[in-house]
Amino acid sequence: MGDRAPRIHTVDALGDPLAVRDWGPEEGVPILFWHSLGPASSAAFAGVAAPALGERGFRLVAPDAPGFGRSPGLAADEYAVTRLVERLLAVRDALALVRPVLMGHSWGGVVACHAAAARPQECRALVLLDSGHVDYADWPGADMSKSLEELVAESEASRVRAGGLDELRAEVERDVSTEPWIWEAFREGLRVEPDGSVVGVTTGSVRGAAMYWLVRAHPSETWSELEAAELPALLLLATEPDDLRERNARAAERFLAGYPSAEVVALEGCGHSVFTDLGGRLGELVGDWLRLHARP
């Protein structure tokens, strides 16, 4: 399935360093990807989807968002989606990526929608992985009344912590997957303390700020612009558990009302963590669709 080891760059993005992972042929059609809040870094996408994309002639470029993986964190205001879009486009410019496909998962889908709307004619296509089809302010559990400080405190309380790497790996293999690439992705976002204990790299300040601004961003505002620009789009939807299937079906109807040319595919047997559930099929599915539908 090709080489899973990425090239890693440090890119100046608006004066701040971003770690960027880069797989596939350098002359390949570029895909610029922004990850979700869930994984520790862009490595979560790499181990499973990048090889199949590379085999299909695509180059996958994926920054570690600020405060995730190998990228340092930033001040809270820098997590506003408009600022994240500027950083994503700065990566594109720094690596001279010509008319990339924009792709994102969860949080990343919101960033990708806004980035595509900012420069639709400079994109080949948009790929949304269970995201971008809903405003998170409308999602069950969203609470717009929570302050930034409250979200930071909650995020810090839920930060990954364990007595050691072996203990945490056992939990991951029990609760998530025994696939080696899953652990490699988790490991990218962990710091081992002097006493041998483990803590997540992503702090409550980073995650809380990202969540605060995420619910204040509205991908629905971009749909009509993307439709008018005739930008090809693929939305892959989770179908498990049943309540998510129902919510996604309703959200997809609204999405298609605003972006009727988009293609929506329900992924049977797949939850929100599309990488874990689909494995290498994800890269195959996305790559095959892009070869048929992306702008030349």
Side-chain angles (χ1 to χ4, degrees):
M1 282 186 56
D3 187 2
R4 290 180 176 174
R7 303 175 291 273
I8 299 181
H9 315 281
T10 299
V11 170
D12 184 305
L14 308 184
D16 298 298
L18 275 187
V20 179
R21 300 166 201 272
D22 184 349
W23 303 265
E26 293 190 34
E27 70 282 2
V29 174
I31 300 173
L32 190 52
F33 173 78
W34 195 272
H35 62 76
S36 74
L37 286 172
S41 70
S42 60
F45 188 70
V48 63
L53 289 168
E55 288 175 357
R56 287 159 174 76
F58 294 96
R59 175 187 180 185
L60 175 64
V61 177
D64 285 352
F68 291 76
R70 304 187 186 193
S71 296
L74 299 172
D77 288 353
E78 294 299 320
Y79 291 88
V81 168
T82 52
R83 291 293 286 168
L84 297 178
V85 164
E86 291 174 3
R87 293 184 192 279
L88 183 63
L89 296 178
V91 170
R92 179 202 63 184
D93 295 342
L95 297 181
L97 305 178
V98 178
R99 298 180 64 243
V101 173
L102 294 180
M103 177 161 56
H105 175 222
S106 196
W107 179 40
V110 176
V111 176
C113 280
H114 284 274
R119 309 274 183 86
Q121 298 306 324
E122 297 177 19
C123 304
R124 295 174 192 263
L126 176 65
V127 177
L128 302 170
L129 307 179
D130 205 40
S131 60
H133 63 300
V134 65
D135 294 335
Y136 281 110
D138 300 330
W139 205 244
D143 186 350
M144 295 291 291
S145 70
K146 284 187 178 179
S147 67
L148 172 62
E149 292 73 21
E150 288 174 313
L151 289 170
V152 166
E154 290 178 4
S155 296
E156 185 62 30
S158 63
R159 189 176 176 185
V160 172
R161 290 181 174 83
L165 285 174
D166 290 343
E167 174 188 323
L168 186 57
R169 182 165 190 169
E171 291 182 17
V172 169
E173 292 181 346
R174 183 189 68 233
D175 299 335
V176 183
S177 173
T178 58
E179 288 284 341
W181 73 268
I182 295 284
W183 170 247
E184 292 166 11
F186 270 86
R187 182 65 182 88
E188 281 289 331
L190 301 174
R191 184 178 71 239
V192 179
E193 304 286 50
D195 64 358
S197 64
V198 177
V199 65
V201 169
T202 303
T203 65
S205 295
V206 165
R207 184 177 175 83
M211 292 177 68
Y212 179 84
W213 288 109
L214 174 60
V215 296
R216 286 161 175 77
H218 301 284
S220 63
E221 295 174 354
T222 70
W223 300 337
S224 60
E225 296 176 53
L226 298 172
E227 177 67 22
E230 300 181 337
L231 183 67
L234 172 65
L235 168 61
L236 300 180
L237 286 182
T239 58
E240 290 190 358
D242 288 342
D243 60 342
L244 179 56
R245 177 194 290 270
E246 293 169 4
R247 288 198 301 269
N248 266 346
R250 292 193 297 270
E253 289 181 5
R254 181 178 176 230
F255 172 74
L256 286 171
Y259 201 164
S261 67
E263 183 172 346
V264 177
V265 176
L267 301 171
E268 292 301 325
C270 184
H272 182 62
S273 182
V274 292
F275 308 108
T276 306
D277 293 341
L278 282 183
R281 287 175 50 219
L282 178 59
E284 295 168 5
L285 193 161
V286 170
D288 290 345
W289 185 89
L290 286 172
R291 289 201 293 189
L292 289 173
H293 298 286
R295 291 169 173 167

